[in-house]
Amino acid sequence: MSINITLLVVSGILMACGVYLLLERSLTRVLLGIVLMGNGANLLLLTAGGAPGLAPIYQEGVASTAYSDPLPQALVLTAIVITFAVTAFVLALIYRGWVLARQDDVADDAEDIRVAEQPHFDFEEDSEVPIETTEFTEGAETLINHPAEAEETPGRVRVRNESKDGGSAQ
């Protein structure tokens, strides 16, 4: 089996141009990127399928290497259907964006900008860790603030009582 380098290079160029266009803010360019990537994928699949041969229908006296592989063709048909569906969806997005805002570009959302400017919060790093979490130590007690936390805390638990003068008693 020989590989056609020209078709592989063309497939790579189509995929690279498609990725470049996908990174744009214009939905029309995103649509063109999707179409280019779909065609590049189809070309890659057909090139990987090998040289053309006979139709994959059994005939007596024909060697098995003379038939063409039907799997790449089935994959290309599936890729064509998926590309059509995604193209139709992006066309609907372009139409709806044009009807609502009379523009093709995807603008920054004010809420997204506000969330991106907030300091980072990591639940595991920023949450309070109980003093003692193991249940295998004898005599160890865990001091908690509310009786509802007692069911979730392993081991012996003692609830912290708040006194009226503002101090805490144990």
Side-chain angles (χ1 to χ4, degrees):
M1 181 175 119
S2 65
I3 297 174
N4 191 341
I5 299 296
T6 305
L7 290 179
L8 289 177
V9 170
V10 169
S11 174
I13 290 171
L14 287 175
M15 295 291 273
C17 292
V19 168
Y20 175 75
L21 289 174
L22 274 177
L23 299 176
E24 296 287 327
R25 287 192 171 254
S26 170
L27 287 177
T28 305
R29 291 182 182 187
V30 169
L31 176 66
L32 290 174
I34 290 170
V35 170
L36 283 179
M37 285 185 64
N39 286 327
N42 293 342
L43 192 58
L44 179 66
L45 287 171
L46 283 178
T47 305
L54 297 174
I57 301 172
Y58 178 73
Q59 298 174 358
E60 285 192 37
V62 177
S64 62
T65 56
Y67 295 112
S68 64
D69 188 11
L71 181 63
Q73 297 169 9
L75 291 175
V76 168
L77 286 176
T78 305
I80 288 171
V81 170
I82 291 171
T83 303
F84 275 143
V86 173
T87 301
F89 179 70
V90 174
L91 278 174
L93 285 178
I94 291 171
Y95 174 73
R96 191 65 181 160
W98 183 256
V99 166
L100 292 177
R102 296 284 180 207
Q103 65 179 2
D104 188 25
D105 292 339
V106 176
D108 286 333
D109 188 26
E111 182 67 18
D112 287 342
I113 294 171
R114 187 188 66 78
V115 169
E117 291 175 351
Q118 286 182 345
H120 178 69
F121 177 78
D122 187 8
F123 181 77
E124 290 185 10
E125 290 181 4
D126 297 336
S127 62
E128 292 183 22
V129 178
I131 297 170
E132 184 62 47
T133 59
T134 181
E135 59 188 23
F136 299 109
T137 58
E138 292 183 21
E141 289 184 345
T142 304
L143 191 59
I144 59 174
N145 295 325
H146 194 270
E149 298 176 19
E151 294 180 9
E152 300 174 2
T153 307
R156 290 181 34 191
V157 176
R158 190 166 47 155
V159 178
R160 179 184 311 223
N161 293 325
E162 295 285 334
S163 64
K164 293 181 180 179
D165 59 350
S168 64
Q170 298 175 1

